[in-house]
Structures are given as C-alpha cells and as structure tokens.
Amino acid sequence: MGIAESKRVLVTGGAGFLGSHLCERLLADGHEVVCVDNLFTGAKRNILHLIGDPNFEFLRHDVTFPLYVEVDRIYNLACPASPIYYQVDPVQTTKTSVHGAINMLGLAKRVKARIFQASTSEVYGDPEIHPQPESYWGKVNPIGYRSCYDEGKRCAETLFFDYHRQHRLEIKVARIFNTYGPRMQLNDGRVVSNFIVQALKNEDLTVYGGGEQTRSFCYVDDLIEAFVRFMDSDAAFTGPVNLGNPGEFTIRELAETVIAMTGSRSKIVYRPLPSDDPRQRQPDIGLAREALGWAPTVALREGLAKTIPYFEALLRAA
Ligand code: NAD
Ligand code: UDP
C-alpha cells in the first residue's frame, strides 16, 4: 500500500479477540493504529507482539468516558462479547454499548472520521425467520439476562443511523455472527473455546440444554477480511450487513466434532439451558456477497484445526 493511502485508525476493544487480529491486519496494510482497551476481557498478551512497532500505540481507556485523539477511521469493537462476562456487570455492559457509541460517534463527528460498529446477530434475538436477513427486525426480550448486551447493541445501531442522518457521518454497521479462533481467552466462556479447552483437559464437555440449538461459526481471518472490505467500501453502503459463515451446526454436533478432532477421552454432559438462549442462528450473507464480494473460505473443521493448537500451547504455558 502506498503512503498516500495510509490512515490513522482507532480500534476500540483492540486488545480483545477480534480487535487484536484487526490491529495486526491494519498494521500489515500500512496504517497507523491506536488501540484503546480497558482490558476487561482483553489481554496485553494479545497485542504484546505489536508493542514496539512505531505505527502501534496502546491506550488503557474505558470508552464510557470521552476520548480525544486525532484519527481518520474508527472501528468500535469495545464490549465484552461472552455471555458470562457481559452478565457480570450488566449496567456497565449497556453503558459500554450506549455511552461508548455516543463517545465514539462524537469523536467521529469532531474529526470527520468514518466509523465502523461491531454489532451482532443478537439484535435478531431468538429469531422467527431463518436464516436471518438484515431486513428482519428481531425478537428480543428487553428485560432478560441477555438484554444488557442485545438491547445495548440495538441502541448503538440506532445511534449510528441517527448520527448518519442527522450529522452526515459515514457509518459502517456490521452484524457479526459467532466467530472463533486463536486469542480467545482460556476462560472466555463461549462455546468453541469452552469445548476445546474441556476436550484438551479430558474433562466433560458441557452442552447447555439438549444441544439441539444451532449456531453458525465463522473463522476469525474470514471475518477480519470482511471488516476491512466493508470499511473501504463506498460511503453510500452503510449496512447493516450480516458477517458470518452460513455453515450451521447443532451444539451437540460441535461437541462431537471437537472430541473427534482432539482425540479426547471426554464425554458430553448436559447442563441447564440459560434463559433466552436463541434456538437457531444462521446468517443470510447475500448482501455481503453482493456489496463486498465477500464470502467465508474456512470451513468449521479447518478453522478448528487452526484453533486447537493455540489452546494446546496456552494450556502448556498455564
Ligand atoms: P472480546 O471480549 O475478546 O473483546 C472485547 C474487548 O473490548 C476486550 O478487549 C475488552 O477488554 C474491551 N472492552 C470491554 N469493555 C470496554 C470498555 N468499556 N472500554 C474499553 N474497552 C472495553 O470479544 P470479541 O469477540 O473480540 O468481540 C469484539 C466485538 O465484536 C464486541 O463488540 C462484540 O460484541 C462483537 N461481536 C463479536 C462476536 C464474536 O463471535 N466474536 C459476535 C458478535 C459481535
Ligand atoms: N453453550 C454450551 N456449552 C458451553 C457454552 C455455550 O452448550 O459450555 C451453548 C450456549 O447455550 C449457546 C451456544 O452454545 O446455545 C453458543 O453459546 P456462546 O456463549 O458461544 O454464544 P451465543 O449464545 O452468544 O451465541
């Protein structure tokens, strides 16, 4: 990339799972990166290899407070994504999504930056339409245990579109479906990392409910490619756009696949289903295919084969 195209890019949540991969990709593309994170679920370990790069800067900061930096582009990823973590302090989770969005949108308005929002398939709640297109408005419980996350993200989408209409901000709203890969924490609590860690320790795999609920799992490299294409796309294309892998699996199938691929002695045990756990989830990615020329390339078994060695190394070091 030529120097003229090089941008100053802010990544909030940059020390998290997705954020750290994004920072790495942006540096490789020749950009300057300001990584902002309060390290709630992120870790310095995720970005240690980037510290020392003159184009990389880390700021420990909570996005619920205003931030003054000069940048050309903003990727707003700050928010705990795992249900067990976003439910630890649900008020802070809503504040992170809503006050965080207001602060980052205010910053974007002041410095005239294009701004990307990491929204989520959770805006569809427990969907009545399958697979979910962007035109579906969702079925979300406003007062349940997942609401701090789901409604926070929905309100953030509202703010993005109002700043776009009212203040002419260039926005990019991505609805991300379940994504996995290296740099998830050992105790992240989401299903792929839980199952791999349990299998590697020969502990029972905890399937919640009967394991018939479905999810569609995207490998991290595919998702980051979509982020970058979306940010670089025509200003008129605001989204929301679904980003994920349409390959759909039951949670029991995922457990069986992980046990087979790790050669584990683990068994499957069944635990109560958390409330409001969506029964099915599969992205309709027609819009992303058409507008971004993007589709995922890494199948589940292939992505798991890249992720399992990362957790093996983490467990050896623990
Ligand atoms: P993650 O928990 O690894 O990363 C989130 C990062 O945000 C962490 O580093 C955390 O410390 C930071 N953070 C949290 N609250 C903050 C605050 N108030 N101020 C500053 N930093 C804060 O999760 P992830 O999977 O990397 O998710 C990144 C983003 O993508 C989140 O916004 C999440 O909602 C969204 N998303 C992820 C998925 C997925 O499957 N991975 C799916 C849908 C949406
Ligand atoms: N799940 C499970 N066992 C676990 C962790 C999660 O069976 O150890 C289930 C969970 O109930 C849900 C699915 O796996 O149906 C995906 O959960 P995750 O927390 O990864 O993401 P989300 O529910 O937000 O899609």
Side-chain angles (χ1 to χ4, degrees), residues 113-163:
R114 179 177 284 197
I115 180 166
F116 168 104
Q117 168 67 358
S119 190
T120 168
S121 54
E122 295 283 334
V123 301
Y124 301 124
D126 189 9
E128 301 132 307
I129 293 181
H130 195 70
Q132 293 80 54
E134 290 84 353
S135 55
Y136 177 52
W137 290 355
K139 182 177 164 236
V140 178
N141 176 358
I143 57 167
Y145 290 104
R146 294 175 84 102
S147 310
C148 57
Y149 184 78
D150 302 5
E151 297 289 21
K153 289 284 188 179
R154 286 170 66 95
C155 184
E157 285 200 9
T158 307
L159 285 161
F160 268 68
F161 278 86
D162 282 334
Y163 268 78

Side-chain angles (χ1 to χ4, degrees), residues 191-270:
V191 69
V192 174
S193 46
N194 270 11
F195 284 178
I196 293 177
V197 172
Q198 289 165 340
L200 291 174
K201 292 169 138 182
N202 290 306
E203 291 172 357
D204 292 339
L205 270 64
T206 51
V207 168
Y208 302 158
E212 294 304 324
Q213 70 273 34
T214 68
R215 293 293 187 275
S216 303
F217 299 102
C218 186
Y219 186 66
V220 60
D221 290 356
D222 277 335
L223 188 78
I224 299 301
E225 176 63 29
F227 280 14
V228 169
R229 285 192 195 200
F230 187 25
M231 184 59 115
D232 287 342
S233 65
D234 195 282
F237 183 53
T238 58
V241 61
N242 289 338
L243 300 179
N245 189 323
E248 186 185 8
F249 299 85
T250 68
I251 295 304
R252 194 182 318 125
E253 280 171 334
L254 176 71
E256 287 164 356
T257 306
V258 169
I259 290 174
M261 287 185 67
T262 50
S264 171
R265 296 191 302 276
S266 302
K267 305 251 173 320
I268 292 175
V269 293
Y270 294 91

Side-chain angles (χ1 to χ4, degrees), residues 286-306:
L287 180 59
R289 280 184 202 277
E290 184 195 307
L292 306 176
W294 173 86
T297 57
V298 182
L300 180 62
R301 290 185 80 92
E302 201 187 329
L304 290 175
K306 292 168 188 264

Side-chain angles (χ1 to χ4, degrees), residues 72-73 75 89 96 110 113 142 160 168 170 179 190 212 222 228 247 265 268 276-277 282 298:
D72 308 302
R73 288 180 167 183
Y75 286 88
D89 185 347
T96 293
R110 181 178 66 80
F160 268 68
R168 303 270 154 246
E170 288 187 12
T179 301
R190 281 176 279 184
E212 294 304 324
D222 277 335
V228 169
R265 296 191 302 276
I268 292 175
D276 297 330
D277 197 286
Q282 183 191 33
V298 182

